[in-house]
């Protein structure tokens, strides 16, 4: 297959046919996982509406503008230790350096006074370095005799234990770039700059509903042939973990009127619509027909396991357009297709300049059967072996309906398109769940 290049999404909206024409080797009946990601990267337009939120509410949001430091952090040279501030040039290398203590510098205020040669100032962590002093001797190293301290030779270099003005951030320097997700560290950084608010992109609204007449909502009495709707809860968790807003539309009956109403209501409010069920080949239901009627939608067979069928497109409603992800119904297939395709697409919708999830390398503790020509995702448990190396074993039953194996697993072993069988001890790639699945 020809190598594909990731093209940046265009600001103009392309039809599905136009996107398909740009992708070399596009075959809706046998799409590689890579093709799917490339297709979606062209389909999804980021939400470009900004809002300003108090920093305490900014966690997990995506920065809409570059942030330039209004101040330097730290704002002064200061001490990294409790000890004695001195001139590094006065340190002796052959015998102890005696220095007379002429005052104490506390954090929070500048010490007022002059320090002559042969003198030092007792200093606390975070206190401003008195003028002319550039080195701090930690108090543990010091012998005190009356108002004189003695510094053993050879333990200190000039400049030790001093934090420099602006060593974290210099005023005028770019502190964070647009597209950064505000994680705890980034929120802390903005706080350190004294910024009480952040300009972030509006959170995309993601509407979700489950389809299928055999699907029971929680609270309904069990009946023969029916299963409870677990997809609604796994998808909700994954959407919320990303930081999107969820519009929970429950279960929609397999009737044209109910489906039409649901798709229209979703397209009116949401930036993306996720559904599960009813997209497999030979489905005797109305979901696919309704998607086709209401939107520009492609029905794919993806060379992957689990999760072969998927519908993708756009549903227009007035001047709004929502991206559609019609996921298969099987509970594990839903989670895998979400992790592999929907998640990166929603990240793009969020304006998040995210890196793809890093894949860990771990040695397989067992032989794995794998056919080249499709990407397989197996549920794995990563642990450390006696030698301290990462190893991965698969959870027992890999059936695409077996949700308990997703709970046991802490990652997905990703066996790439071209890969064949795996032998015991071979290294495989693992996508760690890390809180997102
Ligand atoms: P489908 O893709 O509609 O053919 O569904 C495939 C399998 O997934 C069937 O066994 C369904 O019963 C099951 N399934 C579909 N939707 C859900 C759901 N929302 N929750 C749990 N299982 C589901
Ligand atoms: Mg079905």
């Amino acid at each position: 297959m020809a190598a594909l290049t990731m093209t940046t999404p265009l600001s103009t909206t392309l039809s599905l046919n136009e996107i398909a024409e740009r992708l070399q080797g596009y075959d809706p009946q046998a799409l590689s996982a890579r093709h799917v990601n490339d297709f979606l990267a062209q389909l999804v337009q980021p939400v470009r509406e900004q809002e300003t939120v108090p920093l305490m509410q900014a966690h997990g949001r995506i920065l809409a503008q570059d942030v330039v430091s209004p101040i330097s952090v730290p704002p002064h040279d200061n001490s990294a230790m409790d000890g004695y501030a001195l001139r590094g040039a006065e340190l002796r290398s052959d015998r102890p350096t005696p220095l007379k203590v002429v005052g104490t510098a506390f954090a929070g205020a500048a010490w007022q006074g002059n320090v002559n040669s042969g003198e030092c100032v007792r200093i606390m962590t975070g206190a401003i370095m008195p003028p002319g002093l550039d080195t701090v001797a930690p108090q543990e190293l010091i012998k005190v005799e009356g108002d004189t301290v003695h510094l053993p030779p050879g333990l200190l270099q000039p400049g030790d234990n001093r934090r420099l003005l602006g060593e974290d951030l210099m005023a005028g320097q770019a502190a964070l770039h647009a597209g950064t997700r505000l994680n705890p560290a980034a929120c802390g950084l903005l706080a350190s700059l004294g910024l009480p608010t952040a300009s972030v992109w509006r959170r995309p609204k993601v509407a979700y509903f489950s389809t299928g007449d055999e699907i029971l909502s929680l609270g309904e009495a069990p009946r023969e042939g029916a299963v409870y709707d677990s997809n609604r809860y796994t998808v909700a968790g994954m959407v919320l973990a990303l930081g999107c807003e969820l519009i929970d539309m429950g279960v929609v009956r397999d009737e044209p009127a109910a489906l039409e109403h649901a798709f229209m209501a979703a397209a009116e409010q949401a930036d993306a619509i996720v559904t599960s069920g009813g997209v497999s080949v030979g489905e005797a239901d109305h979901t696919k027909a309704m998607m086709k009627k209401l939107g520009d939608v492609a029905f794919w067979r993806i060379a992957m396991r689990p999760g072969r069928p998927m519908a993708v497109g756009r549903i227009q409603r007035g001047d709004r357009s929502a991206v559609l992800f019609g996921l298969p119904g099987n509970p594990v297939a839903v989670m895998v297709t979400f992790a592999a395709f929907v998640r990166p697409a929603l990240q793009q919708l969020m304006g998040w300049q995210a890196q793809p999830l890093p894949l860990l390398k771990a040695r397989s503790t067992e032989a794995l059967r794998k056919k080249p020509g499709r990407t397989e995702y197996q549920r794995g448990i990563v642990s450390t072996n006696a030698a301290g190396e990462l190893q991965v074993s698969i959870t027992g039953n890999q059936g695409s309906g077996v949700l308990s194996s997703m709970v046991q697993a802490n990652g997905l072993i990703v066996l790439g398109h071209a890969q064949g069988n795996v032998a015991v001890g071979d290294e495989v790639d693992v996508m760690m769940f890390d809180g997102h699945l």
Side-chain angles (χ1 to χ4, degrees), residues 214 278 283 285:
E214 80 280 29
E283 274 284 337
D285 60 24

Side-chain angles (χ1 to χ4, degrees), residues 209-212 215-217 220 229 232 248-253:
F209 56 88
S210 302
T211 71
I215 309 305
L216 293 174
S217 288
E220 287 188 275
D229 182 7
R232 180 176 170 193
D248 173 15
M249 298 179 65
V251 179
V252 176
R253 290 281 141 246

Side-chain angles (χ1 to χ4, degrees), residues 82-96:
D82 290 338
Y84 295 85
L86 51 97
R87 287 185 181 82
E90 291 184 5
L91 288 168
R92 292 181 180 166
S93 56
D94 51 342
R95 57 200 160 93

Side-chain angles (χ1 to χ4, degrees), residues 208 210-211 214-215 227-231 276-278 280 283 328-331:
Y208 172 80
S210 302
T211 71
E214 80 280 29
I215 309 305
V227 294
Y228 282 110
D229 182 7
S230 56
N231 292 346
S276 80
S280 345
E283 274 284 337
N330 272 313

Side-chain angles (χ1 to χ4, degrees), residues 390-421:
L390 290 178
Q391 61 180 16
V392 63
S393 55
I394 54 169
T395 62
N397 189 336
Q398 295 286 316
S400 60
V402 182
L403 208 45
S404 55
S405 67
M406 281 298 286
V407 177
Q408 286 164 32
N410 57 10
L412 285 174
I413 301 171
V414 183
L415 302 175
H417 196 83
Q419 162 121 41
N421 289 336

Side-chain angles (χ1 to χ4, degrees), residues 43-44 63 80 109 121 131 163 208 211 245 283 299 323 350-351 399 413:
L43 178 72
V44 173
L63 208 53
V121 173
R163 303 172 182 145
Y208 172 80
T211 71
E245 228 177 82
E283 274 284 337
F299 298 93
V323 203
M350 295 167 79
I413 301 171

Side-chain angles (χ1 to χ4, degrees), residues 356-429:
L357 282 175
L359 295 175
L360 223 82
K361 294 251 182 241
R363 293 193 186 284
S364 182
T365 61
E366 51 219 301
L368 304 175
R369 291 178 57 188
K370 162 70 172 63
K371 270 200 235 163
R374 68 183 185 198
T375 304
E376 282 190 22
Y377 302 82
Q378 304 213 8
R379 282 139 269 171
I381 303 173
V382 175
S383 58
T384 313
N385 67 16
E389 298 163 346
L390 290 178
Q391 61 180 16
V392 63
S393 55
I394 54 169
T395 62
N397 189 336
Q398 295 286 316
S400 60
V402 182
L403 208 45
S404 55
S405 67
M406 281 298 286
V407 177
Q408 286 164 32
N410 57 10
L412 285 174
I413 301 171
V414 183
L415 302 175
H417 196 83
Q419 162 121 41
N421 289 336
V422 173
V424 175
D426 280 359
E427 270 196 338
V428 290
D429 288 333

